[in-house]
Amino acid sequence: MRRRPDLGGLEAVLLDMDGTLVDSDASVERAWSTWAGEYGVPVDTVLAVAHGSPAGRTVAHLLPRLGPEEVAIAARRQLALQYDDLSDVAAAPGAHELLATLDRCGLPWAVVTSADGRLAKARLAAAGIDPPLLLTIDDVRHGKPDPEGYLRAAGLLRADPAACLVVEDSEPGLAAGTAAGMPTAALRGLDGDLRLFDLGHLAHLLRRARTSPWWRDAVGYQVYLPSFGDSTGDGWGDLAGAGEHLDHLARLGVDVVWLTPFFRSPMRDHGYDIADHRVVDPSFGGDAALDELLARAHRRGMRVIGDLVVNHTSDAHPWFTAASSSRADPYRDYYIWRDPAPDGGPPNNWLSHFGGPAWTFSEATGQYYLHLFSPEQPDLNWRNPALAAQVDKVIEHWLARGLDGFRIDTAAYLVKDADLRDNPLLPADLLVPVGGVTMEWRRQDHRHDIHQPDVHAVHERWRRVADRHDAFLVGEVYELDPGTLARFVDGERLHSSFWFGLVESGWDPERIDTMLAAAAAASPRLSWVQGNHDRPRAATRYGGGQVGRRRSLALHVLMASLPGTMWIYQGEELGLGDGHVPRGHGADPLATAEPGQSRDAARTPMPWRPGPGLGFTTGRPWLPEGGRTDADTVAAQEADPASHLTTLRRLLTTRRRLAGPAAATDEIARADLGAGVTAYRRGGLWAVANLRDATSAEVELPAPAVFDSDDPAVTPERPRTGRVRLAPQQALLLAGPWPAS
Ligand code: GLC
């Protein structure tokens, strides 16, 4: 398997020119076409071999009958044609951003090209690039794929070749880098040790490699595996299918992908019922598919975290099979067993999230076992040290295999009250303020079944394991009070935890404003989310349609300024509302108890392109397609500069360029700009949003706007200053002045 290049330890970056640093495609093609006409060679044949190879070598290859002198003449003619035509030569996308980043990181760089020296200088000048070191075909005996040029450049820069990154857009160039023993980064859909979609991508990866820890201010993306991409046509998403869509995530600006559970499972809760924590379920493609996905993600500079589900297992787990066979079985104490109450009923009043009591009677041994979810999901006993030791090994296993951390399922549920006391009932007019559970469950005060303080010790234990692997742990903690939630990420506990305030809320701008401010002040380590596979989609909760989408985007702009990590649930980048699942076509176990709480609508397939199967599957999807329109699809939104996808991508691209100045501090302050707008300031970065449904009064911008949700023309290069009125849900990022530090 390729190793992830150590971008933090680089000593130099060596860049190819044509197609890499300089966009000269059109002029190169024109010159070769003219030349092909003059020499009677079919244009297509010429264009197929010309790229990335010195002109002389291409000529000799195309016209094998010519002698060396005639080859030289023909090559000179070709060069003259190229030299004469620099009209549309320009810097490649992201080139200037990359060079500025190299400068800021103090990383030496050079251009190594198989082009003629004079031509190279002219092209670089036309693109506004002045390299500190330029090696051309005039400086080496052979061009690429010979490694000579790259090795010479490393020598001149006094850099260890193994610590020089070669950036290339052609196979011969990549071969030269690899032959020189250098890690490679490839453009044009080629695979090097890294695979880049443009040079801005590399700039971002270099900045992130210098950010410590790596998840600080990262952008995360939740892949709900069953519904993301299906490579086999069986209608069920899998790892290879997910792997096919990683470029979409890299382009969006995603740093870390969370994969929902891929372990062996009977799928009663679609993977959240694990029968073997160390094996990838065959329906997701098995272990080899995971290795391949990790390699592909790492090649794009993205990390991947798994989903650690250890509050419970499947009842098909061998531990449970053993435990339920006899009271004396060594695994008995891995689960929670109790005698029936005196009336023969369940031992206490705890309830399952999916309806009915949290206890099921096991005839074989005459006791009840506990399950906070379905009877097929028996709860593990976290007061048993043997279990804790087993789970440590599971975590070690996957981190050693290449996972970069875990989202911790039901992280606050693991430990239960030692005496299993009854939960008190809430006063009649009060309900637990979360969805995804039955009404009956919401009427109890869950003082004893969940959120016990002893759970922090389990997290601290995992943290020690994770830190040995530089891995990230983010908890699913349904604790809406930010102050209480912050305790889960205090000290050496979880690295981060989702704050679900924006997931549990409908649209109430005042309330959102107050809640968000409290969460932002509570801890710089929280993970910001608007949705997940357990709740209605954000755009639907926020009002639906265009307004719901705009509200979601305005919140994304605010989230972009907050310290911590910001997460996108698959499809949120498209502004998707809930999918339509006709009665009788759902699959969620919760819907059996309470159809109104069904989670299916948030889980319908990802719409990649118009047409049957939505590009998700060639078969019949396991959940209905959801009634998506063509405009909902990635393909349609890619092509529309004003689409939700394009706008969110623009937001994240701008955010990552500003991350440096912002990340200088974790201090976040609400700023009072008046006019009823919501604003935050973090270092040199501001986020301003109009969460109301009316245009705001005029606001004096305290710094230049570099992103405007409603105007793609506003960029860091073309900022807007002065006074503005914000349309409903319009949101801006402002930057500067940078803090002195
Ligand atoms: C988490 C998951 C949910 C699952 C439950 C039980 O809340 O997000 O989908 O049903 O845990 O594992």
Side-chain angles (χ1 to χ4, degrees), residues 224 258 269 272-273 307 309 312 354 373 377 407 409-410 476 478 532-534 599 603:
Y224 185 66
W258 150 30
D269 192 15
Y272 284 95
D273 48 328
D307 205 324
V309 189
H312 46 268
F354 296 162
F373 295 89
Q377 292 164 292
R407 172 257 190 188
D409 187 68
T410 47
E476 182 205 22
Y478 265 94
N532 59 35
H533 64 294
D534 290 331
R599 300 172 295 177
R603 299 176 175 184

Side-chain angles (χ1 to χ4, degrees), residues 16-25 89-92 95 123-124 127 129:
D16 167 55
M17 183 182 72
D18 284 310
T20 297
L21 204 49
V22 165
D23 183 356
S24 53
D25 280 6
V89 170
R123 283 218 176 116
L124 289 164
I129 295 170

